[in-house]
Amino acid sequence: GVSEKDIEELDYIDYALDQKTEAIIQDWTEYLQIQDVVNNVKIGDLSFFNDNEKAIKLLLKELKANIPEAVKATSIEARLLVVETKLYKLESLSNLSTTGKKELLTTIEEFLVAFSNLNLQINKKVEFDTRIIERP
């Protein structure tokens, strides 16, 4: 399998949510669940993907259905779609005995990058909206 060290060596920019953004999405349960999945993946724990297809499908469906109004935007929906695609890809590869370590790491990186880009986009939206509100 892959270790935390393997994943730490992946080369990507990991964007976290700004505090302002965290406050806005604190009730977006599905996002927080995906964030937990991401944190587990970062330590090499892929157990979420083991024979969990129904739960994953439901989570992704509700993730999109329950986007908080404050961060609803096509740019964010587009990023969510990428996260969904990469999550499904990771699920399918992590359940195949034929998946090589290199292939799995590439897919993990794609998933982490997709989530990071989602965070960046959410931050940008919140930042933009806050600036508009603050204008005299």
Side-chain angles (χ1 to χ4, degrees):
V2 291
S3 68
E4 184 172 357
K5 192 176 180 325
D6 292 327
I7 291 164
E8 279 170 5
E9 288 169 4
L10 296 175
D11 187 24
Y12 73 101
I13 300 169
D14 191 5
Y15 294 103
L17 292 182
D18 299 335
Q19 275 182 313
K20 216 182 319 186
T21 309
E22 278 188 348
I24 287 174
I25 65 140
Q26 65 186 3
D27 297 326
W28 190 10
T29 322
E30 297 80 11
Y31 172 87
L32 301 174
Q33 286 176 286
I34 297 279
Q35 199 171 39
D36 283 343
V37 172
V38 167
N39 292 335
N40 286 335
V41 167
K42 284 180 182 173
I43 58 170
D45 175 3
L46 301 178
S47 59
F48 172 75
F49 301 101
N50 298 352
D51 198 27
N52 199 13
E53 206 172 326
K54 267 199 185 113
I56 291 172
K57 243 186 200 124
L58 184 64
L59 175 59
L60 290 168
K61 190 178 149 208
E62 293 186 341
L63 176 72
K64 291 180 292 190
N66 298 326
I67 302 172
E69 277 307 316
V71 293
K72 223 177 214 167
T74 34
S75 59
I76 287 166
E77 286 167 4
R79 293 288 187 269
L80 277 172
L81 196 61
V82 178
V83 168
E84 178 179 21
T85 306
K86 299 302 178 186
L87 196 145
Y88 277 132
K89 184 178 175 188
L90 182 53
E91 177 202 17
S92 92
L93 282 181
S94 68
N95 282 307
L96 290 175
S97 54
T98 52
T99 304
K101 185 172 178 177
K102 193 170 182 227
E103 188 183 10
L104 189 56
L105 277 170
T106 303
T107 307
I108 287 172
E109 184 175 343
E110 288 173 0
F111 171 61
L112 295 175
V113 166
F115 187 73
S116 180
N117 288 337
L118 170 66
N119 286 345
L120 178 63
Q121 208 58 50
I122 294 174
N123 284 338
K124 280 183 176 173
K125 168 117 178 69
V126 170
E127 190 53 47
F128 182 76
D129 292 348
T130 316
R131 267 208 307 267
I132 290 175
I133 294 162
E134 286 168 0
R135 281 197 189 131

